[in-house]
Amino acid sequence: MKWIQWMRPGLQVKRWALVGFSGIILMALSFTVLMRDFKWSFTNGTALLVGVAGVTLTIFGFYKVMASIMNIFSTSISIQGRGTPLKPNLVHDIKLRARGPKVVVIGGGTGLSVLLRGLKLFTSNITAIVTVADDGGGSGKLREDLGMLPPGDIRNCILALAEMEPTMEKLLQYRFEEGSLKGQSFGNLFIASMNGISNNFEDAVKSMSEVLAVRGQVLPVTLENVTLYAKLENGRIIKGESNIPYKSLEDKSPIERVFIKPKESEAVGDAVEAILNADIVVLGPGSLYTSIIPNLLIKNIRNSLLNTEAIKVYIPNVMTQPGETDGYGAYKHVEALYNHCSGLSLDYVIVNTGDIPKEVREKYLLEGAKLIGFSEEDGNSLKSKDIDIIQDNLIEIKKDYVRHDAIKLSKIIVRLVKG
C-alpha cells in the first residue's frame, strides 16, 4: 500500500512533519472549544490541556523536521565538499541508501576496503567485520609497543565508509617519512589515541567512526590479542601473519592450514548480531589465509554463519598471492574455506572472467602472481556443493594495480538480495 511505503524509514522528515501537523490539529480543536465562549474563558480545562499538547507537539515536530533537514545538508556537504553546489538528487540518494539491504562483509586488507567504497553508494546498512591478526608494518609496531590491536585494516575500512573531504582522507592516510615514526600512518596514530581514551578497542573504533561520519559500522572481529599460525605441507609451523607467505615461499611448501591462539577467542557481540540479522553476508575479497579465514576461526563467527538465514557469498581475489594461493583456482579457495569452517555452506561464488593487459600481467608475473583461473572443473566442483556461480568481468586497473570493480561488484551483491 502506498501510505505504508510513504511512512517507511528514510530521512526522518515525514514522520516529524506529521507530528507537527497533529499538533496544529489539536490546537485548532482546542481553540474551537474555547472560542464558543465569547468572553474567552479558560474554564474548560480539557480544551486548555489539548491546546497546550498541540503547541508542544507542533514545536517539537517542526524542531525535529529542521534537525533532520540540517543533518541532510551536513551529510551532503561532507559528501560533496564545502563550497560545492548540492546535487539535486543527492537527498534522494541518501534516502535510498538508508533503505538499502543489510550487508555484512568479512575480511581485511585492500580487497575489503575497495568493496566498501562501492557498497556505500547503494546502502548505508553495512557492517564490516575486520581481522585483527595483522602483525606487520606500522600496525604491528603499534601492537608491539602499545599492546593494542592492529589498527591498519580497521583504518582503511573506516576511511572507505567515511563521508569526508579529500584533504581529511589524505591526512589520515599520510605516512611519516622520517624519524621514529617513519612508515607509520597518521590514521593509525589517531586510532591509537582513541584507544588510549576509550574503554576498549571496539569503543575506540566506534568513536573514530562517529568523528568521521561513517555510513554503517566497522567492527574488529574480536577484542582478544590473537596470533595467527600456519602449518605448511612440509610440517613446519609458522608464527605470525606477516611471516606466513614469506616462509611458505622460502620452504617452497604450500599452506596446509592456519590456526589461531588463543583458540577459543570470543567474537565482538555486535559482529555476531550483525551476521544473524543480515540480508547478505560476503566473505572477501581479500587474502584467503591471512585476511578471511582468521575471522572464521573465531568460534562465535563460525556459529553465527551456520545459523544466519542471510545469503552467503564468497568473492575470491582477482590475482593469486605468492606464498598463499599459488596455483589456486576458484574451487580450491572455497575448499580451503570449508576445511577451516566445518559446516559452512555458500550460496554464491562471484568469480572474475576478465583479462588484464599484457604489460600488467608481466609486472605481476615478476612478483609470482597470476590471474585466478576458473575452469570447467572448478564450475562442476562448485555446482556439486550446490553453489551458484556468478561470472563477470570484474577487473579495474588503477596505476597498474589490479583491483575488483567495486561498483559492478556492489551492484551484483545488492541485486542478489533484491532477487
Side-chain angles (χ1 to χ4, degrees):
M1 296 175 67
K2 290 186 177 180
W3 70 271
I4 294 178
Q5 185 177 9
W6 187 84
M7 286 300 295
R8 285 180 62 187
L11 300 177
Q12 299 185 359
V13 171
K14 290 176 290 189
R15 70 187 68 176
W16 297 121
L18 186 60
V19 170
F21 184 71
S22 298
I24 293 173
I25 295 297
L26 290 177
M27 281 193 295
L29 290 172
S30 172
F31 292 144
T32 299
V33 173
L34 293 171
M35 285 295 293
R36 286 189 304 185
D37 187 342
F38 292 105
K39 295 181 181 180
W40 196 254
S41 172
F42 284 87
T43 57
N44 191 328
T46 303
L48 180 60
L49 183 62
V50 170
V52 171
V55 171
T56 303
L57 285 177
T58 301
I59 294 173
F60 179 72
F62 286 108
Y63 165 77
K64 296 294 287 187
V65 167
M66 293 306 298
S68 296
I69 291 172
M70 291 304 296
N71 181 59
I72 293 166
F73 278 101
S74 64
T75 301
S76 303
I77 289 169
S78 68
I79 293 171
Q80 295 185 210
R82 297 184 186 278
T84 305
L86 293 179
K87 296 178 182 178
N89 63 341
L90 185 60
V91 172
H92 180 257
D93 290 344
I94 295 172
K95 180 177 179 179
L96 286 179
R97 290 200 297 270
R99 295 177 177 175
K102 291 178 284 187
V103 182
V104 172
V105 188
I106 302 175
T110 303
L112 181 58
S113 59
V114 167
L115 175 59
L116 293 176
R117 289 182 186 275
L119 277 175
K120 76 176 182 180
L121 301 177
F122 300 92
T123 178
S124 298
N125 303 310
I126 303 170
T127 298
I129 300 174
V130 188
T131 179
V132 290
D134 187 12
D135 63 357
S139 289
K141 185 165 179 58
L142 288 175
R143 182 175 184 176
E144 181 180 347
D145 291 348
L146 302 180
M148 65 179 288
L149 294 176
D153 286 349
I154 296 277
R155 180 198 75 236
N156 287 331
C157 290
I158 287 175
L159 296 183
L161 289 177
E163 306 290 8
M164 70 178 80
E165 297 180 28
T167 302
M168 187 63 175
E169 181 169 1
K170 287 180 181 178
L171 173 63
L172 291 166
Q173 291 286 38
Y174 173 76
R175 289 189 180 275
F176 295 90
E177 298 178 354
E178 297 178 358
S180 59
L181 292 177
K182 184 177 180 179
Q184 191 61 262
S185 80
F186 179 75
N188 282 359
L189 298 179
F190 190 167
I191 298 179
S193 301
M194 282 290 190
N195 188 60
I197 63 173
S198 303
N199 294 326
N200 54 44
F201 189 72
E202 182 185 6
D203 288 345
V205 172
K206 288 181 178 179
S207 296
M208 184 173 179
S209 298
E210 290 174 4
V211 169
L212 299 179
V214 163
R215 295 294 163 179
Q217 60 179 342
V218 178
L219 301 171
V221 67
T222 181
L223 297 181
E224 297 187 38
N225 186 24
V226 298
T227 301
L228 184 67
Y229 292 79
K231 180 183 179 183
L232 305 184
E233 288 187 0
N234 64 6
R236 185 180 182 185
I237 303 296
I238 310 299
K239 178 183 178 180
E241 178 267 344
S242 60
N243 294 321
I244 291 171
Y246 300 108
K247 297 300 183 182
S248 174
L249 288 171
E250 183 182 275
D251 284 17
K252 297 181 180 178
S253 179
I255 297 169
E256 180 179 302
R257 66 183 178 91
V258 293
F259 57 95
I260 59 171
K261 291 184 179 179
K263 184 178 180 181
E264 297 297 318
S265 297
E266 295 283 339
V268 168
D270 285 350
V272 172
E273 184 178 349
I275 293 172
L276 293 175
N277 294 326
D279 294 315
I280 187 166
V281 176
V282 181
L283 305 179
S287 303
L288 177 63
Y289 287 106
T290 54
S291 290
I292 298 173
I293 289 177
N295 296 298
L296 308 186
L297 300 177
I298 307 294
K299 64 177 184 179
N300 308 67
I301 297 297
R302 174 187 172 274
N303 291 339
S304 59
L305 284 172
L306 300 186
N307 292 321
T308 184
E309 295 182 2
I311 299 167
K312 293 186 281 290
V313 180
Y314 173 57
I315 307 170
N317 277 344
V318 174
M319 309 295 293
T320 61
Q321 290 187 272
E324 280 203 50
T325 55
D326 304 276
Y328 275 40
Y331 178 70
K332 197 162 185 181
H333 281 77
V334 172
E335 191 176 41
L337 292 175
Y338 279 17
N339 288 340
H340 285 83
C341 188
S342 177
L344 176 66
S345 61
L346 296 169
D347 298 299
Y348 296 92
V349 170
I350 303 175
V351 295
N352 166 65
T353 53
D355 203 352
I356 57 177
K358 181 180 178 182
E359 60 273 16
V360 177
R361 188 186 310 116
E362 290 175 347
K363 168 182 172 289
Y364 273 88
L365 280 173
L366 291 174
E367 300 170 359
K370 300 179 181 179
L371 276 170
I372 290 176
F374 184 72
S375 64
E376 183 179 349
E377 184 180 353
D378 283 320
N380 291 334
S381 297
L382 291 172
K383 289 175 183 176
S384 71
K385 301 280 188 184
D386 293 324
I387 300 173
D388 290 326
I389 305 155
I390 299 174
Q391 304 178 59
D392 206 339
N393 180 357
L394 299 171
I395 289 177
E396 184 174 45
I397 298 175
K398 291 184 177 180
K399 298 180 180 179
D400 288 340
Y401 286 98
V402 180
R403 301 281 185 256
H404 276 99
D405 185 325
I407 293 178
K408 185 180 285 188
L409 197 54
S410 299
K411 286 181 179 178
I412 293 172
I413 291 168
V414 172
R415 199 159 52 236
L416 286 175
V417 178
K418 293 181 177 180

